[in-house]
């Protein structure tokens, strides 16, 4: 996976005059759900306007932003972590040099993951030991 970058990149080829997308269309275009899009909006990561009928309408360029949010979430960051990347969500978050803040956020998230993995390994080891003790080592954990 490419190291997360933080650089604002403006893309003049981004469609600004394209027809606005309704929430279902944006969800389909980005491989996410309308519920996730509402969650991103509530977190301040994307914005919409309301049509006369109350439907959410998104700029066509919001698809790039949503794909970048998904990329960062899939990399293990949280929505709070993604806030750091707001200035570059409309461009390529993997291009350019990584900022100090982006590296700090990634390192902190990695430390949290490592601690959780270590805790799970400790629990697994205790369970495996208890199983060996209870069965006289007749039953071995499936690895």
């Amino acid at each position: 996976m490419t190291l997360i970058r933080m650089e604002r990149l403006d893309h003049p080829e981004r469609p600004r005059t394209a027809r606005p997308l309704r929430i279902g269309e944006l969800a389909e275009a980005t491989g996410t759900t309308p519920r996730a899009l509402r969650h991103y909006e509530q977190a301040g990561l994307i914005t919409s306007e309301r049509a006369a009928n109350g439907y959410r309408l998104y700029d066509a360029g919001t698809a790039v932003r949503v794909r970048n949010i998904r990329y960062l979430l899939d990399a293990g960051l949280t929505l709070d972590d993604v806030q750091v990347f707001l200035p570059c969500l409309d461009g390529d978050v993997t291009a350019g040099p990584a900022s100090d803040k982006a590296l700090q956020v990634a390192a902190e998230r990695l430390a949290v993951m490592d601690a959780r993995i270590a805790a799970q390994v400790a629990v697994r080891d205790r369970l495996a030991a208890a199983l060996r003790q209870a069965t006289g080592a007749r039953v071995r954990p499936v690895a």
Side-chain angles (χ1 to χ4, degrees):
M1 178 163 66
T2 305
L3 183 61
I4 299 167
R5 311 290 185 192
M6 184 172 169
E7 178 178 298
R8 184 177 181 94
L9 298 174
D10 293 318
H11 291 279
E13 71 276 6
R14 185 173 124 178
R16 296 262 182 212
T17 58
R19 177 183 66 78
L21 301 172
R22 291 190 313 224
I23 194 166
E25 295 169 323
L26 181 59
E28 184 176 336
T30 58
T32 191
T33 64
R35 182 176 181 194
L37 294 174
R38 287 189 292 273
H39 191 61
Y40 302 160
E41 190 169 349
Q42 185 178 13
L45 298 173
I46 62 174
T47 60
S48 68
E49 294 182 16
R50 294 293 182 141
N53 60 6
Y55 288 179
R56 285 180 167 88
L57 296 176
Y58 297 91
D59 179 87
T62 304
V64 171
R65 181 173 277 248
V66 171
R67 285 186 196 103
N68 282 326
I69 292 167
R70 293 295 322 150
Y71 172 81
L72 295 170
L73 293 174
D74 289 346
L77 300 180
T78 67
L79 282 180
D80 286 338
D81 296 336
V82 173
Q83 293 287 339
V84 172
F85 296 87
L86 278 175
C88 62
L89 289 178
D90 294 324
D92 184 351
V93 294
T94 64
S99 73
D100 290 341
K101 184 63 175 171
L103 292 173
Q104 178 185 350
V105 166
E108 289 170 359
R109 186 58 44 211
L110 184 59
V112 168
M113 287 180 194
D114 286 343
R116 288 179 180 165
I117 290 169
Q120 288 296 308
V121 168
V123 168
R124 184 222 171 268
D125 291 347
R126 286 192 302 272
L127 180 59
L131 184 59
R132 280 192 307 274
Q133 183 180 8
T135 65
R138 291 179 310 213
V139 177
R140 294 189 178 152
V142 177

